Structures are given as structure tokens and as C-alpha cells.
Amino acid sequence: MIARELRDRAAIVGVGYTEYSKNSGVTTLTLALRAISAALDDAGLEIHDLDGVACHRIGDSADPAQVAQALGLADVRLVSDVFGGGSSCIAPLDTAATAVSTGAARCVVVWRALNSRSGLRLAGAATNPALSGDGQYWMPYLHVTAPQQFAMFARMYMHRYGVTAEDLGAVAIAQREYAEHNPRAMMRDPLTLEQYLASRWIAEPLRLFDCCLETDAAVALVLTDTERARDLRNVPVTVSATVVGGGNQLSSNHHVDLTTTAVEPMATRLFAQAGIGPAEVDVAELYDAFTPLVLLQLERYGLCAPGHAAGLVGDGGTRRDGAIPTNTHGGHLSEGYVHGLNHVAEAVQQLRWTCGERQVAGAEVALSTAQPGVNSGLTGAVILRRAA
Amino acid sequence: MTPRPLPPPDLDSGPWWQALARNELVIQRCASCERRRWPARVMCNDCGSFEAEWIASCGTGVVVSWTVTHHSFGPDVEVPFVVALVRIDDQDDIYIPGYVDAPNDGHTMAHGLRVAAGYDTVPTAAGDPLTVLRWRLAG
């Protein structure tokens, strides 16, 4: 955990991507190595500068020991192999940042590599009993896919706050507008409300355009300590605070209001650790496997008041010139689904001021989040800052 | 009907599934603090006691959410179908999913519908049918 004592002592110095596709035609190991190479190139570092490897996966990707071997690393000081999906996507970054800021490791690469369209399709990942301790109570009803699970939550959230289909559509449309300016994005054609409303149901109340894109891709981030980062080629983006944890899920004791999540107590800690308030966040990259999660997190992270997110999005508040530009790459809905790590990569580039037409002018502070703990009860988040 | 790809009941949950097979809805009650709980757990997550018994639920509750699955994600999965989440009247934090004895397109579903436990069987990949909940409208 990056608490106050370690604030801004670790920096992200390299960002690397593979191509995004529906069929990569290569192994997840190959995807990981390509993204790691690209991130090292971006940082101006060499493979043998690395002494740490960290990723999250759900039994669907090359393991970090194999990746270290393939890179030729013979003396690795940090190996973090997190079992988990979107809820856990900040955990490897958290471990890496802690390691480089305490000196436990000097330079750590964090990645996520997945063939989530051509390989193990993520939408059906819940059919893997190892992933779902209480899945036995849902699987007999064929209630096993991610859209079904999140649809159950979405209806409760929508009912509580009076959120409509049009409100969900506004989220998808706002993110598509960003994606139109993102050459990496898989979905770049304009999306209208009429098209959104005409799209087919997946699991009511979620339509096709409420759902993220299953993608084959990898994203990698290279971290080192901030002092060293100042000698490298990119503007350092420092890790101001991280939180990873949670606990409040469907079956938790005394969890009566199921629209409350793991986020609320953790958001308070996150901002305290960073020494800022939500109003100081310039860019938010919020985990968006499904549209309702964006509205939920805008509220739960204090970027707007509870029940006000739909209005905020509808009024353009998440656009580039709005109160809180959100999912500026198009998110999982329109850029592609790299299980949370492409959100962090976008946040880094926003703080480097290299995002071209989708750049948020003068962005200094970014928030990037994990899945807010619907079903899993776990989440995480990071606050990043452009180094002075 | 589609055979269900079941994880087998585990040693904690066996009594729950056995009760459903007898068309009974049961929950656990902590022997120390009497707090009710579900799903099956060996320990009370309120007081930490390992002593508990399975007791009959009152069997009624209220619909707090539901999904209507339209996208068929497997060759044999017939759509649409409704799955509801029901808060049972025994305690305010116990939510149990199940089918609902209502049209498959969900058009009669609503927040706050009163339901009572009903039962149905589904085929399983393992061969033996499994008894599951099919909540009945209770007016």
C-alpha cells in the first residue's frame, strides 16, 4: 500500500501496448513479452534493468516466472502473481510501487496479457468454479456470465437512484466520443442514443453497448523510484496513493443495502493517503466492464454526489471540457478490455500530456480504479500525479 | 433443458442442497448469538462461533432485483429466462437467487414482489436432476 510515507516515491516511466484484436494468433506469453518490450522502449530502459515482475490473471495467462525466464532475468527480486480479475487489477501495481519505493526492487514491470476473445472468453469466466466460491448457488440457474452478474446489480442501482436506459446510454456515448480520437480504440464509429436503445439485450437491464469488448491484447507498465525516473526520457508520473482491499459483497454480514460496495471506505483512505480531495482529480479512468459501474464510481469516489452521476454524464460533465473527464481512451467499452491496466496506461499518458485530441488540458492528477467490488467484494485504486 | 455445469455441493453446503431436494428451504442459525446466515458457512461472521444448526426458513421474501437473460451463451441455453434475487423475511441481509414462477420475458416482474419458496428440478451434466428454487408469487 502506498500510504503517506511512500507518497510519490515510485514512478511509472514506461507504457507499452500490443495491438488490440479479436484474435491475436499468438500466446499470452508472446503478448506479455511484446508489451513489456514496448514499455521498456518507451522508458528508454533495457530488459536487464528489470528486477521485478507482477501481473494479475485468472488462470488465463502466462505466469510471471515464465515471463521472467523468457525475458532472461536471472535474479528477480519481486514476483507478484495475483489471482484475480478486474477487482484485483490494481494489486500488482500496488505491490510494484511499494517495492520500488522501499528499495525492495529497483525496476518492476507490471502487465496484463489476455486472449479474452479468442481464448478463455472472459464473459463466461464465472463458469470456472475456481473463480466463484459461491458460484454453486448461481450456476444451476445458468446465471454464470459477467453480464448476468452485473445486470443483477445494475437493476438495484438503477432502481435506487432512478437511473434510466438513456442514462446508461449516455455513458456509452460519452466514452465513444473519446474513442473517436483514439487510434488504439477498437470501436471508433460514432454511437447515437437511437443506436444504443436499438441494440439487443444481453441480460436486462444491460444492452450490447452497456458491455465491454472482449479483447486480445497486453498492456505493460514499468516502474522505478522517482529519483531515478527524473533521469529518464519521459515526464515521471508518480504513484501518490494506492488502496487494495474491500470486503463488502452480496453475502456479507449486515450488508443490507446491496448498492453499497467495497469502494466507500477505501475511497476515503485513498484520498487521505494522497493528501488531496476528489475535487483535485483532473482525469478519472474508472473500471467499466459495464456502463452502470461508471455511474456508481463517480459517486462512490466522491467525484459527484450520490444519485447525481447520471445527471453529470448527461450534462457532458465527463467530457474533455467537463467537470471530471472520465475514461478518456473510451474505456473498456470502446477502447478495449485489458482488464483495468489500459486505464492506468491512459492515465499515465494523460499526465504526460501526450493524448492528442483527447488530451485533458493541464491534467496533473489522475484516478484509476479496479472493478468496484460488485460480486467479489474486492477493489483497488491508484492516484497518479505528474511530477513537478 | 440445458444440463447444468455444476460445481458439486461442498461439505459446508451439502445440507442446503439436501433440504432443497426435500422441498425445504433452510438457513443456518448460530448456536451462540442466534444470527441467521446463508450461504453455508462453518463459522458465524458476527460472533465467531463454530456452533450452528440448520433451521427452516420462514420461506417468504421480496424480490429486490432480477435479470432477463436474452443472450444465449451456449448451444443449448434457451432464452429468455428470468433469475431473481430475493431477500427472505427471516433477516434483512440474506439474499437468495432463484427462478420465478412467472413469464420468461420478465414483463410481470417488479421491485418488491412478494414471493414464497417453490421448487423445480433441472438436469445436470452429472446425470442426476437437481432441485432448485422457483419462487412463487405470494400476493
Side-chain angles (χ1 to χ4, degrees):
Chain A
M1 179 178 78
I2 299 299
R4 191 175 310 247
E5 310 78 57
L6 299 180
R7 186 188 299 164
D8 295 316
R9 284 170 53 178
I12 300 175
V13 296
V15 173
Y17 297 84
T18 65
E19 176 185 37
Y20 287 27
S21 76
K22 292 184 176 179
N23 186 358
S24 71
V26 299
T27 63
T28 55
L29 176 59
T30 295
L31 289 174
L33 295 171
R34 286 178 179 170
I36 292 167
S37 279
L40 288 167
D41 286 348
D42 178 56
L45 292 170
E46 304 289 330
I47 289 172
H48 292 281
D49 289 314
L50 292 174
D51 63 0
V53 290
C55 73
H56 72 287
R57 59 194 181 113
I58 51 172
D60 61 347
S61 190
D63 82 79
Q66 188 185 25
V67 171
Q69 179 277 333
L71 288 167
L73 302 179
D75 184 17
V76 174
R77 298 182 188 195
L78 175 77
V79 177
S80 174
D81 185 10
V82 174
F83 184 92
S87 297
S88 302
C89 70
I90 300 296
L93 174 66
D94 170 68
T95 303
T98 304
V100 299
S101 59
T102 57
R106 185 161 160 79
C107 185
V108 179
V109 64
V110 178
W111 74 90
R112 176 70 171 121
L114 70 177
N115 282 324
S116 75
R117 183 64 176 79
S118 70
L120 177 68
R121 292 190 65 172
L122 268 191
T127 55
N128 176 359
L131 275 176
S132 48
D134 290 326
Q136 62 176 305
Y137 302 109
W138 295 89
M139 288 167 71
Y141 304 101
L142 292 173
H143 199 276
V144 293
T145 69
Q148 291 172 314
Q149 295 172 336
F150 285 85
M152 193 67 85
F153 168 81
R155 193 182 298 277
M156 289 188 278
Y157 173 79
M158 294 169 77
H159 179 66
R160 168 149 186 193
Y161 293 109
V163 170
T164 65
E166 287 77 5
D167 295 331
L168 298 186
V171 173
I173 291 165
Q175 294 191 197
R176 185 64 60 84
E177 288 173 0
Y178 280 117
E180 291 173 36
H181 302 294
N182 178 3
R184 192 177 295 110
M186 297 182 77
M187 301 290 275
R188 298 185 61 193
D189 293 333
L191 178 66
T192 66
L193 184 59
E194 291 68 31
Q195 289 170 320
Y196 167 84
L197 291 171
S199 70
R200 61 192 169 90
W201 290 117
I202 300 299
E204 280 184 59
L206 300 179
R207 292 175 166 82
L208 178 67
F209 291 125
D210 291 307
C211 302
C212 62
L213 310 163
E214 293 169 305
T215 308
D216 289 9
V219 167
L221 309 168
V222 175
L223 286 86
T224 193
D225 67 90
T226 300
E227 285 312 304
R228 185 177 184 216
R230 293 186 195 284
D231 298 329
L232 298 176
R233 64 165 63 134
N234 297 310
V235 176
V237 171
T238 60
V239 180
S240 286
T242 57
V243 285
V244 172
N248 226 2
Q249 51 111 301
L250 174 65
S251 304
S252 291
N253 206 357
H254 302 287
H255 191 200
V256 176
D257 177 359
L258 297 182
T259 66
T260 60
T261 69
V263 170
E264 291 86 323
M266 293 177 58
T268 303
R269 284 204 297 279
L270 177 74
F271 286 112
Q273 289 165 209
I276 62 170
E280 289 169 79
V281 174
D282 298 313
V283 185
E285 313 294 1
L286 305 178
Y287 194 96
D288 59 331
F290 302 94
T291 52
L293 298 184
V294 177
L295 300 177
L296 175 82
Q297 291 175 93
L298 284 167
E299 297 169 1
R300 300 303 191 254
Y301 279 98
L303 302 170
C304 68
H308 285 66
L312 176 76
V313 174
D315 291 341
T318 59
R319 292 195 177 127
R320 198 165 65 96
D321 56 355
I324 180 65
T326 301
N327 291 349
T328 53
H329 48 334
H332 290 144
L333 301 175
S334 282
E335 184 188 75
Y337 190 75
V338 200
H339 230 165
L341 223 57
N342 52 322
H343 288 47
V344 183
E346 171 72 7
V348 170
Q349 292 167 102
Q350 283 285 345
L351 299 178
R352 287 181 184 173
W353 302 348
T354 57
C355 286
E357 289 184 72
R358 66 181 196 281
Q359 178 65 46
V360 175
E364 301 275 354
V365 176
L367 166 68
S368 191
T369 67
Q371 199 267 89
V374 174
N375 308 321
S376 67
L378 306 177
T379 192
V382 58
I383 290 178
L384 301 171
R385 180 180 287 278
R386 179 184 171 93
Chain B
M1 278 181 93
T2 311
R4 269 48 173 177
L6 290 183
D10 58 39
L11 292 174
D12 295 335
S13 67
W16 151 265
W17 291 109
Q18 290 155 14
L20 279 190
R22 301 188 303 267
N23 289 3
E24 296 171 17
L25 178 62
V26 297
I27 57 176
Q28 285 172 297
R29 180 176 63 196
C30 174
S32 176
C33 74
E34 299 201 338
R35 189 158 181 86
R36 275 67 166 167
R37 65 178 186 261
W38 187 91
R41 296 288 189 260
V42 71
M43 191 178 88
C44 175
N45 59 355
D46 220 38
C47 77
S49 169
F50 280 85
E51 301 300 320
E53 59 185 333
W54 288 94
I55 61 168
S57 161
C58 68
T60 58
V62 60
V63 170
V64 299
S65 189
W66 70 98
T67 61
V68 188
T69 298
H70 291 264
H71 176 68
S72 179
F73 48 85
D76 302 321
V77 178
E78 296 164 21
V79 291
F81 63 90
V82 175
V83 175
L85 187 61
V86 172
R87 181 172 60 220
I88 59 173
D89 293 332
D90 299 82
Q91 191 168 286
D92 64 359
D93 62 352
I94 298 179
Y95 297 84
I96 303 179
Y99 286 133
V100 182
D101 194 12
N104 288 336
D105 64 2
H107 79 273
T108 61
M109 296 298 294
H111 290 277
L113 278 181
R114 298 286 311 163
V115 293
Y119 305 89
D120 200 353
T121 59
V122 294
T124 71
D128 295 331
L130 182 77
T131 303
V132 298
L133 285 165
R134 182 177 291 278
W135 299 97
R136 294 177 288 108
L137 300 187

